[in-house]
Amino acid sequence: MRTLMLVRHAKSEWGHPELTDHERPLNDRGLRDAPKMGRRLAEQGVMPDVILSSTAVRALTTAQLLAEALGYTADRIVADERLYATSASGILGVIAELDSSVQTAMVVGHNPEMDALVGRFTDEIGHLPTCAVAVFRFEADAWDELDEGLVREVRFQTPRS
């Protein structure tokens, strides 16, 4: 079994036109929601073996805040530039490279590609709001085997749920 947690980055700040999209930070709500979701996941006993994150500031900060709340050391977060401005297939390509020893992976990224990837695995969720977490359990032996037909469990939560 493989468990994949797909996380859309927390709410970002739009009030700094001098920053590039890649440099946009989290706003106050995002800085509040990410640790909240991390604490909720910790209460549920969730602990990823690896956290992969886009290199965008808002995604990486979300990953760091989630990791801290989970008791996961932030220096173990894998920031991968391929998770920024990509596609659902691009995300799957990064996931497919995970070592077979990894049983649970968290990926922190962006829309629309996160919505598209969630849509490949289920029609139960639809849209990922900021800082939402979609958890999929797959009956798969390797990360490159992930497919809709192998999904055995789907869970979904948002900061407001």
Side-chain angles (χ1 to χ4, degrees):
M1 291 291 267
R2 304 283 175 203
T3 302
L4 176 63
M5 297 182 288
L6 298 176
V7 183
R8 182 176 172 201
H9 66 76
K11 190 77 172 163
S12 61
E13 177 63 57
W14 287 88
H16 300 284
E18 72 280 5
L19 297 177
T20 66
D21 180 69
H22 195 269
E23 297 170 322
R24 273 192 300 116
L26 296 181
N27 68 12
D28 289 342
R29 186 173 115 199
L31 291 168
R32 180 185 70 238
D33 286 351
K36 176 181 178 179
M37 289 302 290
R39 287 189 299 274
R40 189 180 299 163
L41 292 169
E43 289 167 4
Q44 297 167 3
V46 172
M47 180 55 77
D49 298 313
V50 66
I51 298 176
L52 304 172
S53 176
S54 157
T55 55
V57 170
R58 61 193 180 277
L60 195 50
T61 303
T62 300
Q64 291 164 341
L65 292 170
L66 288 166
E68 182 179 336
L70 285 165
Y72 184 97
T73 58
D75 64 339
R76 292 178 42 215
I77 295 169
V78 177
D80 193 318
E81 64 188 19
R82 296 174 297 168
L83 295 172
Y84 176 73
T86 188
S87 63
S89 295
I91 297 170
L92 277 176
V94 173
I95 294 167
E97 295 174 3
L98 289 172
D99 188 79
S100 62
S101 65
V102 173
Q103 296 297 307
T104 302
M106 175 183 282
V107 179
V108 181
H110 310 270
N111 268 356
E113 53 267 30
M114 293 301 267
D115 276 352
L117 185 52
V118 166
R120 284 190 183 192
F121 299 138
T122 185
D123 57 5
E124 296 175 28
I125 296 173
H127 172 67
L128 282 181
T130 54
C131 212
V133 180
V135 180
F136 299 92
R137 288 183 48 91
F138 295 89
E139 193 171 298
D141 294 324
W143 289 102
D144 62 357
E145 297 175 358
L146 302 187
D147 180 79
E148 176 185 10
L150 300 176
V151 175
R152 296 299 173 252
E153 180 184 350
V154 177
R155 287 181 286 142
F156 176 67
Q157 53 190 314
T158 69
R160 294 184 179 172
S161 62

